[in-house]
Amino acid sequence: MLRLEGVSKRYSRPDGARVALDDVSLSLDRGQLLGVFGPSGAGKTTLLRVASGLRSPDSGTVVYNGERLDRMPASELARFRRREIACVWATQPVQERMSVLDHVALPLLVDGCGRRSTERRVREALLACAVERCTGMELRDLSDGERQRVALARGLVTEPRLLLADSPTSSLSLAEQEDIMSLLAALAREARVAVLITATDAQTLLRADPVLYLRDGRLIGSESPSVRGKVYRFPAVRSRQAASDA
Ligand code: ADP
Ligand code: MG
């Protein structure tokens, strides 16, 4: 579904050029939860920027369902952004005075979704991420952990086929990390979403398979812990299944 081949990316800065990605290749299919871990500065955020089509690689290709992202016509790329992919960034500027409901609703409203179904889907996404209690709050009222969950809910609300999440568990307690990882694993397995997440440590990624190690822009190792566990049921998955069972 998503394939990166020989992707390199460097940034030039006044203090010299930095190689952020060096000949990176990987592939991600529906139903897969791929984890990439590496220390700060390893290139994780750059990897997601390039994989999402937000930045073009200097060399190499990024192919989504057989089509090169950097050659996609603007209108198609816009559709890809609205309908196919969701990105959850580690540092996303937010409007602190906005309500959680409006914040999570935004991608749907931009896509022309009606008020009622928007509100229903927002509530489902917040429920799936276990932050339904925050629905009526403003963003400035949230703890770091709740922010990460709300950010994830905002990613899930459009029911993307491809979810890229940059260190989505970095501000969470161990128990909460485990929760979110179960949720992402279930999203991949049950809703057949392709999920790519990053973390600074491998421990967080026990449920991911495969787990790749990124250092100095190079993917240098892999392991397959293949841990299976607790199962979440997504409202969206349930309704999709009900529709296909009917
Ligand atoms: P990570 O997310 O793993 O911390 P990044 O992808 O943010 O890694 O960064 C990889 C390398 O690229 C680092 O050396 C970083 O300093 C550099 N870098 C990242 N973004 C930029 C940028 N916008 N301009 C210049 N250098 C950057
Ligand atoms: Mg980063």
Side-chain angles (χ1 to χ4, degrees):
M1 184 169 175
L2 179 72
R3 216 171 62 243
L4 274 66
E5 260 170 33
V7 165
S8 296
K9 178 82 187 167
R10 56 167 58 212
Y11 295 104
S12 44
R13 299 206 308 191
D15 59 346
R18 285 177 189 233
V19 176
L21 292 176
D22 185 7
D23 196 20
V24 166
S25 300
L26 60 81
S27 67
L28 176 62
D29 284 315
R30 292 186 66 186
Q32 208 176 13
L33 172 58
L34 168 66
V36 174
F37 75 101
S40 178
K44 302 181 295 297
T45 300
T46 305
L47 176 68
L48 297 194
R49 282 195 192 123
V50 170
S52 66
L54 208 59
R55 293 287 168 89
S56 295
D58 297 332
S59 55
T61 55
V62 181
V63 177
Y64 180 75
N65 284 342
E67 261 192 278
R68 276 182 65 165
L69 284 188
D70 59 326
R71 297 203 178 145
M72 250 186 211
S75 61
E76 213 176 309
L77 195 61
R79 201 199 75 88
F80 169 74
R81 291 257 163 71
R82 280 199 319 274
R83 296 277 166 83
E84 304 280 320
I85 192 176
C87 299
V88 179
W89 300 107
T91 50
Q92 181 129 27
V94 297
Q95 292 192 20
E96 293 290 328
R97 303 296 293 264
M98 196 181 252
S99 77
V100 168
L101 186 71
D102 288 344
H103 176 71
V104 176
L106 213 58
L108 292 177
L109 295 176
V110 166
D111 199 28
C113 190
R115 250 290 159 195
R116 281 171 76 102
S117 76
T118 294
E119 204 168 306
R120 178 180 50 78
R121 288 169 68 177
V122 168
R123 288 182 193 283
E124 284 181 358
L126 290 169
L127 186 65
C129 297
V131 273
E132 68 277 15
R133 66 181 177 280
C134 300
T135 309
M137 296 182 188
E138 290 185 1
L139 293 170
R140 61 180 177 160
D141 298 325
L142 304 180
S143 70
D144 288 349
E146 286 167 342
R147 273 169 198 264
Q148 284 201 315
R149 287 165 180 268
V150 166
L152 206 53
R154 196 195 206 206
L156 297 184
V157 78
T158 56
E159 296 174 23
R161 291 171 203 275
L162 175 62
L163 176 71
L164 308 183
D166 199 9
S167 302
T169 62
S170 61
S171 303
L172 303 180
S173 69
L174 280 178
E176 285 184 314
Q177 283 183 13
E178 171 64 14
D179 246 28
I180 291 292
M181 287 307 295
S182 300
L183 191 135
L184 292 174
L187 185 70
R189 192 177 52 238
E190 294 175 24
R192 308 292 298 157
V193 175
V195 185
L196 170 51
I197 77 162
T198 64
T200 46
D201 63 306
Q203 206 55 39
T204 319
L205 301 175
L206 279 176
R207 283 176 189 279
D209 187 12
V211 175
L212 306 174
Y213 179 37
L214 186 67
R215 200 178 75 191
D216 297 332
R218 293 188 71 91
L219 274 181
I220 57 174
S222 70
E223 34 180 309
S224 281
S226 295
V227 176
R228 305 277 174 251
K230 225 161 63 174
V231 175
Y232 273 87
R233 304 296 291 183
F234 283 88
V237 177
R238 284 201 303 268
S239 58
R240 259 185 223 163
Q241 273 175 353
S244 67
D245 289 348

